[in-house]
């Protein structure tokens, strides 16, 4: 089965590569020529553990190709996955421009029945919107095939066809996309061809909502070992094709949730909003621990032992970030508002997460006083470990707040420095953790990279101007650090 993936970013590239590894023939399409050229020359535009060898393997096997020509890829494919970005608008709603553009381009490329699968995270009703865009495009093509200058309204069409059109209005067998019966289309077109040559004809298609739940930093593993596959469609034909695509996961007993597109779209937002809420909850508990001298790790451990709660996503820190949780919580809140529902819990989560960044800066101020002219060393720029992604990274947000206070920033990240340089070119980028600590007034651990867990602490202490370590990821034991002479503070434990 030939498949196209439109959008070769974190989701598209991983999806395309893993589907190719399932034995399918995949073309990953992107409008970014540089990205496609890089992939075609053996390079990889993002960092994801285990992705590089998998790309190489499937390219060599001839199952995975990269292209910028969307039309050609769509024409040759039975199934087209959409995996383009859905960034936030200024009001928090999801910007669907990329989705709409791709839907238009797919519409213009249909040449036979296709399944169009949306993997991007989108507001409820987007699958229907994609369907409408393609349907409207096809209707316009139909009209263009009968130019009004050549055929005045209804003229040139046999009266029996007009009569049929009228009777079709009450016909339950109307084509659900074009709104007219297939019989009417055929007769109308044959009448029209006497005076004009049709340029195209409508092709059947189905839309599927198939949200993606992979995590950056473990995307290949997550795609091949998912907790669930959600398939939202009303078409039994499309469902069968989707089940065929995901058969290797079915064979390893992955649960499938088969539902309608609207429910599938809401499942994705609900999952991300819930996880963001869980992170925010433990952050709020950690802030309370800071006030009363309790240890949040012990609280979280005890909470997690309760089977109803589970220990996952109970790690306190500087607040959630990344390309998904911030925009998806905002988008769900905005979407609920447009439905006339004030999602109060989510509003609280969004605002508490923003405050969490400010509270982290407050911790730094508490130890250093006025920050103007001070040098802060920041370890970690990526929004989490094992990725080069800095979108909505807590570290980057905190750096912005520190720069407003007049600080100078020295920083290091194992993978994300090139991305950070694009938006913060004036920081001092260091070659490692120790150069970052050198002559800094305080060192802040902002991302939980494993390599920050075993620093040579006596060396760090000697390099720092003052031995202040703010551990925003709670990588170290407070008592050990204090015994080494550090002024140490974590999140929710001192
Ligand atoms: P991304 O920004 O990394 O990639 C999107 C790609 O789409 C870009 O390379 C862009 O050039 C390309 N693109 C845009 N318009 C195009 C067009 N008309 N034709 C061809 N290519 C086009 O985004 P991402 O992180 O992969 O996320 C994609 C979607 O998946 C988003 O809706 C996101 O919310 C969702 N999602 C992301 C993750 C994640 O961890 N990143 C996880 C689950 C779901």
């Amino acid at each position: 089965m030939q498949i196209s993936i439109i959008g070769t970013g974190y989701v598209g590239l991983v999806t395309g590569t893993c589907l190719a590894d399932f034995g399918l023939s995949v073309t990953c399409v992107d409008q970014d020529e540089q990205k496609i050229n890089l992939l075609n020359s053996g390079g990889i535009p993002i960092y994801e553990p285990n992705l590089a060898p998998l790309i190489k393997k499937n390219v060599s096997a001839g199952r995975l190709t990269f292209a910028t020509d969307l039309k050609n890829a769509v024409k040759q494919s039975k199934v087209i996955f959409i995996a383009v970005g859905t960034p936030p608008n200024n009001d928090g709603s999801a910007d669907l421009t990329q989705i709409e553009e791709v839907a238009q381009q797919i519409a213009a490329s249909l040449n036979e029945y296709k399944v169009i699968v949306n993997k991007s995270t989108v507001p409820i009703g987007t699958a229907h919107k994609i369907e409408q865009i393609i349907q409207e495009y096809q209707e316009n093509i139909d009209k263009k095939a009968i130019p009004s200058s050549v055929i005045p309204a209804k003229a040139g069409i046999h009266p029996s066809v007009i009569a049929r059109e009228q009777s079709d209005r009450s016909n339950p067998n109307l084509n659900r996309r074009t709104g007219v019966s297939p019989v009417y289309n055929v007769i109308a077109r044959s009448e029209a061809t006497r005076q004009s040559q049709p340029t195209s004809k409508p092709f059947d298609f189905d839309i599927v909502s198939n949200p993606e739940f992979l995590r950056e930093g473990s995307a290949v593993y997550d795609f091949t070992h998912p907790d669930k596959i959600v398939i939202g469609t009303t078409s039994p034909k499309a469902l069968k094709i989707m089940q065929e695509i995901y058969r290797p996961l079915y064979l390893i007993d992955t649960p499938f949730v088969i539902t309608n597109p609207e429910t599938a779209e809401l499942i994705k937002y609900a999952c991300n909003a819930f996880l963001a809420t869980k992170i925010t909850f433990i952050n709020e508990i950690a802030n309370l621990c800071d006030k009363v001298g309790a240890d949040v790790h012990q609280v979280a451990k005890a909470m997690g032992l309760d089977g109803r709660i589970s220990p996952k996503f109970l790690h306190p820190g500087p607040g959630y970030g990344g390309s998904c949780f911030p925009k998806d919580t905002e988008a769900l809140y905005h979407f609920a508002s447009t439905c006339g529902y004030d999602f109060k819990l989510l509003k609280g989560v969004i605002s508490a997460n923003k405050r969490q960044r400010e509270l982290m800066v407050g911790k730094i101020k508490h130890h250093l006083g006025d920050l103007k002219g001070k040098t802060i060393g920041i370890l970690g720029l990526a929004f989490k470990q094992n990725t080069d992604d800095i979108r909505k990274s807590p570290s980057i947000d905190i750096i912005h707040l520190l720069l407003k206070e007049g600080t100078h920033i020295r920083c290091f990240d194992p993978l994300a420095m090139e991305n950070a340089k694009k938006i913060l070119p004036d920081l001092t980028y260091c070659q490692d953790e120790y150069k970052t600590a050198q002559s800094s007034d305080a060192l802040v651990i902002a991302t939980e990279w494993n390599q920050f867990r075993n620093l040579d602490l006596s060396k760090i202490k000697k390099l720092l101007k003052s031995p202040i370590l703010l551990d925003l990821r709670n990588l170290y034991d407070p008592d050990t650090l204090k015994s080494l002479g550090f002024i140490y503070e974590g999140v929710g434990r001192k």
Side-chain angles (χ1 to χ4, degrees), residues 139-265:
E139 281 167 5
N140 286 338
I141 284 283
D142 250 11
K143 281 181 203 146
K144 276 185 203 150
I146 312 168
S148 56
S149 58
V150 180
I151 313 169
K154 306 280 184 191
I157 299 176
H158 195 275
S160 65
V161 175
I162 297 169
R164 189 185 291 271
E165 181 192 18
Q166 280 155 358
S167 79
D168 276 347
R169 287 206 182 106
S170 52
N171 180 352
N173 295 323
L174 291 184
N175 179 310
R176 68 189 164 88
R177 297 191 202 294
T178 61
V180 294
S181 86
V183 179
Y184 168 76
N185 260 348
V186 170
I187 300 173
R189 211 173 286 115
S190 67
E191 291 291 326
T193 44
R194 288 186 198 150
Q195 299 183 46
S196 105
Q197 200 60 38
T199 55
S200 183
K201 68 182 182 85
F203 295 102
D204 199 14
F205 63 93
D206 280 309
I207 304 285
V208 175
S209 171
N210 172 220
E212 182 50 58
F213 298 92
L214 62 77
R215 296 161 299 173
E216 284 176 29
S218 53
V220 171
Y221 180 85
D222 289 349
F223 192 92
T224 48
H225 300 79
D227 293 332
K228 60 190 172 290
I229 294 289
V230 175
I231 300 176
T233 184
T234 51
S235 157
K237 186 175 174 183
L239 175 60
K240 215 170 154 210
I241 293 170
M242 292 303 289
Q243 283 171 324
E244 202 180 320
I245 290 172
Y246 284 119
R247 198 155 43 92
L249 299 180
Y250 188 76
L251 295 176
I252 56 166
D253 287 335
T254 305
F256 278 64
V257 179
I258 315 288
T259 182
N260 61 33
E262 292 75 19
T263 308
E265 288 165 342

Side-chain angles (χ1 to χ4, degrees), residues 186-422:
V186 170
I187 300 173
R189 211 173 286 115
S190 67
E191 291 291 326
T193 44
R194 288 186 198 150
Q195 299 183 46
S196 105
Q197 200 60 38
T199 55
S200 183
K201 68 182 182 85
F203 295 102
D204 199 14
F205 63 93
D206 280 309
I207 304 285
V208 175
S209 171
N210 172 220
E212 182 50 58
F213 298 92
L214 62 77
R215 296 161 299 173
E216 284 176 29
S218 53
V220 171
Y221 180 85
D222 289 349
F223 192 92
T224 48
H225 300 79
D227 293 332
K228 60 190 172 290
I229 294 289
V230 175
I231 300 176
T233 184
T234 51
S235 157
K237 186 175 174 183
L239 175 60
K240 215 170 154 210
I241 293 170
M242 292 303 289
Q243 283 171 324
E244 202 180 320
I245 290 172
Y246 284 119
R247 198 155 43 92
L249 299 180
Y250 188 76
L251 295 176
I252 56 166
D253 287 335
T254 305
F256 278 64
V257 179
I258 315 288
T259 182
N260 61 33
E262 292 75 19
T263 308
E265 288 165 342
L266 186 52
I267 286 171
K268 174 63 191 176
Y269 272 135
C271 287
N272 275 3
F274 185 80
L275 292 173
T277 302
K278 201 169 174 190
I279 293 170
T280 306
F281 185 86
I282 200 65
N283 284 340
E284 295 281 71
I285 294 292
N287 298 340
L288 200 52
C289 286
D290 276 340
K291 291 209 177 289
V292 300
D295 182 335
V296 72
H297 275 208
Q298 301 212 9
V299 176
K301 186 177 175 191
M303 283 175 71
L305 288 171
D306 187 326
R308 296 167 301 177
I309 296 175
S310 115
K312 289 186 180 168
F313 280 76
L314 286 181
H315 306 288
Y320 59 79
S323 69
C324 293
F325 288 175
K327 82 171 170 63
D328 294 346
T329 44
E330 292 270 4
L332 180 56
Y333 178 74
H334 186 275
F335 180 79
S337 307
T338 62
C339 300
Y341 185 68
D342 183 11
F343 200 148
K344 288 189 174 167
L345 174 64
L346 204 50
K347 194 181 194 170
V349 167
I350 294 165
S351 127
N353 195 59
K354 185 166 178 278
R355 183 182 62 174
Q356 194 69 6
R357 311 285 206 256
E358 291 155 11
L359 291 175
M360 299 302 107
V361 174
K363 281 177 186 285
I364 301 168
K365 268 185 180 169
H366 171 73
H367 290 285
L368 285 179
D370 185 7
L371 294 180
K372 200 168 167 33
K374 299 269 165 56
T375 298
I376 313 287
I378 304 279
L379 294 185
L381 298 165
F383 83 92
K384 64 173 180 180
Q385 69 163 338
N386 291 334
T387 182
D388 58 354
D389 198 346
I390 56 160
R391 290 178 283 182
K392 293 281 172 197
S393 165
S395 171
I396 300 289
D397 288 349
I398 288 168
I399 288 173
H400 279 298
L401 292 172
L402 290 172
L403 289 174
K404 269 194 206 156
E405 299 279 340
T407 59
H408 174 69
I409 303 290
R410 296 173 68 78
C411 60
F412 168 73
D413 187 284
L415 283 177
M417 294 212 281
E418 290 314 310
N419 282 338
K421 280 177 194 169
K422 290 177 200 156

Side-chain angles (χ1 to χ4, degrees), residues 360 363-364 367 442-446 468-473 487-490:
M360 299 302 107
K363 281 177 186 285
I364 301 168
H367 290 285
L443 189 65
V444 177
I445 299 177
I468 301 172
L469 182 64
L470 290 147
D471 181 3
L472 306 187
R473 299 292 183 164
I487 299 167
Y488 173 89
E489 189 169 345

